[in-house]
Amino acid sequence: MQFDFNGKTAIVTGAGSGIGAAISRDLARFGATVVLADLDESGMATVAGEITSAGGKALTQRADTSAAADVERLVTFAVEQTGALHLLVNNAGIGGPAAPVGEYPLDGWHKVIDVNLNGVFYGMRYALPEIVKAGGGSVVNMASILGTVGFATASAYVAAKHAVVGLTKAAAIEYAKSNVRVNAIGPGFIATPLLDKNLDEATLGVIAGMHPVGRLGKAEEVSALACFLLSEQASFVTGSYHLVDGGYTAQ
Ligand code: NAP
């Protein structure tokens, strides 16, 4: 697949690892100036280094997406450094505690909602006015298959990801006339550090088998869809939720 992001600036959150790193590398490969944002400064520096050694353009900014002031600063940084903002990937996310609803830790609930839902709102809250000023662009919000189906012991994650799908639809309707498209992606289980941090190897094997294709997805397979949605090739695609899940939700 070939895309043209020359002259475009993109913010990618959670860019120091997994899916966000893959999207950042691909956007840069296709010509975008990528502003990488993450809590993990060393992961982010590694990805930025890979991009610049390959001849691409990358800037980094530490930002906690669950803190509105950090996200506002991130958007200001991107615009000041590059002149305009066209593309936003609200990708940063965490797994959170595993427990049934009746025992779910309250602090864990708030943390997951803060990062996985409020962070996506803050991203759009501060970036959309700038994208409009630039004449339009595209936003991708990273939901999950758990934005459409449930998963035992992951209520906060499931609730946040369902909400991201709704938030995406509302924003898409509001900004369609301003030439900004807003879409959500629903990956199945993707082999990234997020899974390694939360699940043991035996559980990962079981989960891989829950996908009809019989394996976990790859970050690059999610990035291919994100790049399409961010590109001009997707000019009539907005307000939708797009699965990349090896058939998981077709069952
Ligand atoms: P990952 O490898 O853990 O990468 C996520 C990155 O986001 C990490 O560098 C993490 O830093 C960073 N981050 C976490 N909280 C942040 C915050 N508040 N502010 C800024 N950065 C923050 O995860 P991934 O698998 O690539 O997941 C990326 C997105 O895809 C998430 O939204 C996730 O929910 C979604 N997703 C993943 C899967 C999957 O199976 N992997 C499936 C569906 C959807 P730290 O390492 O320091 O926390």
Side-chain angles (χ1 to χ4, degrees):
M1 246 178 297
Q2 199 65 34
F3 301 105
D4 181 6
F5 295 115
N6 280 296
K8 306 288 184 198
T9 295
I11 289 177
V12 181
T13 68
S17 176
I19 295 170
I23 295 173
S24 300
R25 286 190 208 101
D26 282 345
L27 286 174
R29 186 157 57 89
F30 295 123
T33 299
V34 184
V35 180
L36 297 95
D38 206 299
L39 282 176
D40 173 4
E41 294 189 71
S42 87
M44 198 162 57
T46 303
V47 178
E50 287 165 6
I51 290 174
T52 47
S53 342
K57 297 181 276 289
L59 300 167
T60 59
Q61 172 83 348
R62 187 189 185 279
D64 176 353
T65 58
S66 67
D70 271 26
V71 179
E72 185 175 24
R73 236 186 335 267
L74 168 65
V75 170
T76 303
F77 172 80
V79 173
E80 282 177 359
Q81 294 292 316
T82 71
L85 178 64
H86 311 89
L87 308 171
L88 169 68
V89 183
N90 280 313
N91 167 78
I94 56 171
V101 174
E103 299 163 27
Y104 207 85
L106 296 189
D107 57 345
W109 172 272
H110 291 299
K111 175 92 182 137
V112 172
I113 298 297
D114 275 348
V115 179
N116 291 6
L117 173 58
N118 295 343
V120 173
F121 165 66
Y122 299 144
M124 291 201 289
R125 168 67 182 78
Y126 294 109
L128 279 168
E130 293 299 336
I131 298 176
V132 170
K133 260 190 233 163
S138 177
V139 176
V140 163
N141 295 325
M142 201 55 66
S144 163
I145 45 173
L146 304 186
T148 190
V149 296
F151 197 86
T153 76
S155 56
Y157 189 93
V158 169
K161 294 298 188 183
H162 274 68
V164 165
V165 173
L167 175 59
T168 298
K169 291 177 184 174
I173 297 164
E174 290 166 359
Y175 285 84
K177 294 257 177 351
S178 305
N179 195 32
V180 186
R181 296 178 299 97
V182 186
N183 289 285
I185 293 184
F189 287 84
I190 309 298
T192 70
L194 179 78
L195 291 198
D196 301 334
K197 277 179 255 175
N198 290 288
L199 304 166
D200 60 42
E201 209 163 307
T203 311
L204 281 177
V206 172
I207 285 179
M210 291 162 74
H211 299 71
V213 298
R215 64 170 174 86
L216 300 174
K218 299 177 191 150
E220 292 71 23
E221 292 172 313
V222 180
S223 177
L225 176 58
C227 286
F228 169 69
L229 293 170
L230 292 165
S231 77
E232 276 306 306
Q233 276 103 312
S235 48
F236 199 54
V237 185
T238 196
S240 344
Y241 164 60
H242 305 267
L243 295 159
V244 47
D245 72 351
Y248 186 105
T249 52
Q251 301 169 97

